[in-house]
Amino acid sequence: MSTVAPRAGLTGTEVAALRSSAHGVLGANWREGVRHADGLPYAYTCPSTPRYRHQWHWDSCFHAIAWSHFDPARAEAELRTLLASGRPDGFLPHTVFWGAWAGWRRAPFYATARVLGSTHTETIDPPLLAVAWERAGPPGDAAALGQIAAHLDWLARERDPDGDGLLSVVLPDESGLDDSPKFDVVFGRYAHYKPSIVLLIEHCRRLGYSARRIAACGELHLEEVLVNVAYALSLHAMARMTGKDDWAVRAAATECALLERSLDPGTGLFLDLAGNAEVPVRLSTWSALAPLALPGIPEDVKRRLVEEHLLDPRRYRACVGIPSVSMEEPSFTPHFDRWRCWRGPSWVNTAWLLVPALRELGYEADAERIVTSLARAALREGFREYYDPRDGAGQAARGFAWSTLLVDLV
Ligand code: GLC
């Protein structure tokens, strides 16, 4: 096995072992073929079998970034499959069914146009495609950039009903953070892990999953921080890839809206805003720290997030990774919960988003501590869906593809 110069506090041998096993997981989860329903070719990495067989939007963005370290052609093919999954109006789905339909037991839980027979959901996922394309797509592909631009325009048109620069989600899993306790107070009996979620999905289905219609009826929608961080990061990526300033202006508008509306002066956290009244959701989960990744957030705001939250041992400074919920919250649950996720354990994509910001602000030792703890957990336990922040015990799905993002951090 070759040795690779380590970046984190890992040995060269550890980094090489991590890379080799990441490549193995990505390869084992690779799927390609032609969809029976419409003859469309596909090539993507499924998150983990047997549980997650389909293509998820933000997972694929992460997979492409990981693939770019091993096989740039596969990274590009995965992103092109995402582009092919959408509609000409710019909509790109949260989940796409390529090689298999959603099983009949799971089908009612997917936010599709019809309960059976749809090829994709009608909902969104954190919009990271432009970020992934900048890392793994051919930079000068005008047609692809046009499609990504259409997607970002669709989001602005359809998902920002009050035109304040912040996108709304209509279902909790559109944030990628399905069962986060921050949604409990907002969605109540319709929380993602409760059986009544199918009623909320059915209600959204009747309203065409349209945030504009949902907001016009005064119904529940949420300006969720992580989705907006992903959106602003993508707008910035478009500005760099196209050299056009209007993308940077749009990114700055979203960053300003986050600062003006979602930043809570008392705690320094960025809070989701619920409904037309934009009621702040007062709970500390890692998405409240996600604006650290944005270039337009002032340094003092970022340092407060780092020093008062991310590096506070009572809150987010854990033995392994970054907990998905502040350890101080009563809802913090570090152990495996069969029915609910994002309620405490550490995920690799969280570190992937926040660690570069820590490095940039000069907290190099903390950044390396976080990366090393997760990398050692992955070496010991395999690439798992998430890890116990107390001891790194691997939890939930095995061979979980986005956890290979660690190769991008070491
Ligand atoms: C879980 C995660 C979600 C992810 C999906 C597929 O539902 O909460 O973020 O996209 O699995 O991996």
Side-chain angles (χ1 to χ4, degrees):
M1 194 179 279
S2 68
T3 51
V4 179
R7 162 130 202 207
L10 300 166
T11 65
T13 314
E14 284 176 313
V15 173
L18 193 78
R19 283 176 55 88
S20 154
S21 100
H23 195 179
V25 164
L26 290 169
N29 293 10
W30 184 251
R31 300 287 179 271
E32 54 186 47
V34 172
R35 184 160 59 192
H36 287 304
D38 49 18
L40 271 184
Y42 63 84
Y44 72 96
T45 316
C46 69
S48 160
T49 50
R51 179 153 186 196
Y52 303 119
R53 294 171 298 153
H54 312 298
Q55 183 178 32
W56 274 264
H57 185 92
W58 78 324
D59 295 61
S60 269
C61 295
F62 297 134
H63 301 158
I65 291 167
W67 267 121
S68 71
H69 289 267
F70 304 108
D71 188 337
R74 283 198 171 179
E76 184 182 335
E78 178 135 15
L79 297 181
R80 288 199 187 280
T81 303
L82 269 190
L83 284 173
S85 71
R87 286 196 307 249
D89 68 353
F91 167 73
L92 291 177
H94 174 283
T95 315
V96 194
F97 313 114
W98 291 107
W101 301 108
W104 62 271
R105 261 186 307 193
R106 292 285 310 149
F109 296 94
Y110 284 107
T112 45
R114 299 178 304 279
V115 176
L116 291 173
S118 294
T119 52
H120 57 76
T121 65
E122 298 293 324
T123 44
I124 61 166
D125 221 12
L128 283 167
L129 181 54
V131 174
W133 192 270
E134 190 182 27
R135 291 289 309 278
D141 185 328
L145 288 179
Q147 273 184 281
I148 300 171
H151 171 52
L152 293 167
D153 290 346
W154 183 91
L155 289 169
R157 204 168 58 239
E158 300 295 331
R159 287 311 190 107
D160 182 7
D162 59 2
D164 66 356
L166 295 178
L167 306 181
S168 282
V169 299
V170 297
L171 288 167
D173 67 343
E174 291 197 304
S175 66
L177 310 176
D178 312 4
D179 309 312
S180 172
K182 71 182 185 170
F183 298 130
D184 291 359
V185 275
V186 182
F187 288 94
R189 61 187 280 252
Y190 301 109
H192 183 260
Y193 56 90
K194 297 198 173 154
S196 311
I197 184 71
V198 293
L199 301 177
L200 181 60
I201 293 172
E202 187 49 41
H203 184 66
C204 289
R205 185 176 281 131
R206 278 202 293 273
L207 292 169
Y209 299 98
S210 160
R212 279 190 292 135
R213 284 174 69 188
I214 289 168
C217 303
E219 303 211 352
L220 199 53
H221 60 100
L222 192 67
E223 291 176 328
E224 197 274 340
V225 175
L226 181 61
V227 161
N228 283 289
V229 168
Y231 179 53
L233 286 172
S234 273
L235 294 168
H236 277 300
M238 283 302 276
R240 288 188 295 270
M241 288 189 286
T242 62
K244 291 190 183 143
D245 276 351
D246 41 341
W247 291 111
V249 171
R250 283 171 63 178
T254 295
E255 289 171 328
C256 280
L258 281 169
L259 282 166
E260 279 168 16
R261 292 163 178 264
S262 137
L263 177 60
D264 173 45
T267 58
L269 293 169
F270 287 82
L271 303 176
D272 297 348
L273 304 170
N276 288 341
E278 301 193 345
V279 180
V281 181
R282 300 199 171 278
L283 207 103
S284 179
T285 71
W286 80 271
S287 61
L289 316 178
L292 267 174
L294 294 174
I297 301 297
E299 190 178 322
D300 58 320
V301 176
K302 289 189 180 182
R303 287 204 187 277
R304 193 167 172 209
L305 282 174
V306 171
E307 284 167 18
E308 293 183 23
H309 298 280
L310 192 47
L311 299 184
D312 184 329
R314 289 166 307 162
R315 294 179 173 158
Y316 289 93
R317 188 194 170 108
C319 290
V320 176
I322 301 167
S324 41
V325 174
S326 164
M327 295 181 281
E328 227 175 27
E329 289 288 349
S331 52
F332 169 71
T333 314
H335 51 76
F336 177 60
D337 176 339
R338 181 161 183 194
W339 304 110
R340 300 183 296 179
C341 55
W342 295 108
R343 297 180 77 92
S346 300
W347 296 63
V348 169
N349 64 341
T350 302
W352 181 83
L353 198 79
L354 300 184
V355 159
L358 275 179
R359 286 177 175 155
E360 208 169 294
L361 289 165
Y363 301 93
E364 190 68 30
D366 288 294
E368 300 328 323
R369 174 182 52 75
I370 291 167
V371 174
T372 303
S373 63
L374 281 169
R376 296 229 161 100
L379 283 167
R380 198 179 61 236
E381 311 274 321
F383 289 101
R384 301 294 297 266
E385 191 170 356
Y386 40 80
Y387 300 89
D388 189 318
R390 298 167 301 181
D391 57 10
Q395 298 179 346
R398 293 171 191 275
F400 190 70
W402 91 32
S403 295
T404 66
L405 269 179
L406 275 167
V407 299
D408 203 50
L409 286 174
V410 293

